[in-house]
Amino acid sequence: RLWVGPRQAVGLRTESYDMTNLKYESTIAVDRTELDDDQTGMIKPRIRDMAVRAMNFHDNLCMKTLSAGLTTSGYDGVYYFHSQHASGDSGNQSNYLIQTCVTGTIPTVAEMQGSLTSSITKIAQYKDDKGEFISVDAMSGLLVLANPADAFKWRTVLNAGIISQTDNVWKGTADLITTPWVPQTKWHLM
């Protein structure tokens, strides 16, 4: 609103999502003498591997949750990927798009570019709980999550200067993270 007179503080809209904070552990039993006498050098790499797995554990939980987005409800009571998300005066908003492949089930680079275009266009239209557009620049800080098998095509879409003798307008638009938790030919834009 135009600032005339005293400020009119408006509270934040509250949403809730219950999550149980579970405890996890991983233990191996090693006698002190086995550690000291490890002649093949196999114990310390196992311990190092456990540390790496612990470091990546929360990332893997996030990826598992994201990959279950078509069957797991979010804070608003509908599946995470759904066409009926609403918050306050936002109206129904969809974060679920289906990519169509003309030739079979594996998308071409051109089809991936078209799908990226549709997704960014959709993000640019998202509204907040007051019915206002969320982002002036829908293309800042984007991240594509994709399967490693699709990495080459996504790197082409996101990094190549020229594709099929045409300037690539999507160059530098998003960063790429590959993970086996995203099924091949599926992808997420965040």
Side-chain angles (χ1 to χ4, degrees), residues 2 62 124 168:
L2 180 63
C62 287
N168 180 14

Side-chain angles (χ1 to χ4, degrees), residues 142-158:
L142 294 177
L143 182 66
V144 170
L145 297 175
N147 186 282
D150 300 322
F152 178 77
K153 286 182 183 177
W154 274 114
R155 284 192 178 95
T156 301
V157 170
L158 298 172

Side-chain angles (χ1 to χ4, degrees), residues 5 7 42 151:
R7 290 184 175 157
M42 298 306 295

Side-chain angles (χ1 to χ4, degrees), residues 1-184:
R1 76 175 185 91
L2 180 63
W3 190 351
V4 178
R7 290 184 175 157
Q8 295 178 5
V10 178
L12 297 173
R13 181 178 178 80
T14 58
E15 306 283 357
S16 67
Y17 186 75
D18 292 330
M19 293 176 58
T20 304
N21 193 8
L22 303 173
K23 295 180 180 179
Y24 295 89
E25 69 89 26
S26 179
T27 306
I28 58 173
V30 180
D31 291 337
R32 175 71 185 173
T33 55
E34 288 178 15
L35 187 59
D36 291 338
D37 297 338
D38 184 15
Q39 302 205 3
T40 60
M42 298 306 295
I43 297 174
K44 287 181 183 177
R46 290 269 319 269
I47 294 169
R48 193 170 31 252
D49 180 58
M50 287 176 64
V52 169
R53 286 175 180 259
M55 185 176 65
N56 294 328
F57 181 72
H58 287 99
D59 290 340
N60 286 334
L61 280 179
C62 287
M63 292 301 137
K64 285 180 188 178
T65 302
L66 195 59
S67 68
L70 290 172
T71 58
T72 303
S73 294
Y75 74 91
D76 56 357
V78 297
Y79 293 149
Y80 185 78
F81 298 115
H82 202 276
S83 61
Q84 300 287 317
H85 288 285
S87 180
D89 294 330
S90 69
N92 281 336
Q93 302 183 107
S94 176
N95 67 346
Y96 180 60
L97 299 172
I98 297 174
Q99 177 176 331
T100 304
C101 298
V102 176
T103 57
T105 58
I106 300 185
T108 64
V109 168
E111 289 169 335
M112 291 169 116
Q113 285 178 298
S115 185
L116 183 61
T117 301
S118 298
S119 297
I120 291 174
T121 301
K122 182 67 77 176
I123 287 174
Q125 297 169 5
Y126 287 166
K127 294 182 178 181
D128 64 14
D129 61 341
K130 304 282 189 240
E132 300 289 329
F133 290 109
I134 291 175
S135 178
V136 173
D137 182 7
M139 295 194 312
S140 63
L142 294 177
L143 182 66
V144 170
L145 297 175
N147 186 282
D150 300 322
F152 178 77
K153 286 182 183 177
W154 274 114
R155 284 192 178 95
T156 301
V157 170
L158 298 172
N159 299 324
I162 296 175
I163 299 175
S164 300
Q165 301 175 347
T166 305
D167 286 340
N168 180 14
V169 297
W170 297 123
K171 179 181 179 181
T173 301
D175 291 324
L176 175 66
I177 291 180
T178 59
T179 175
W181 291 109
V182 175
Q184 189 175 353

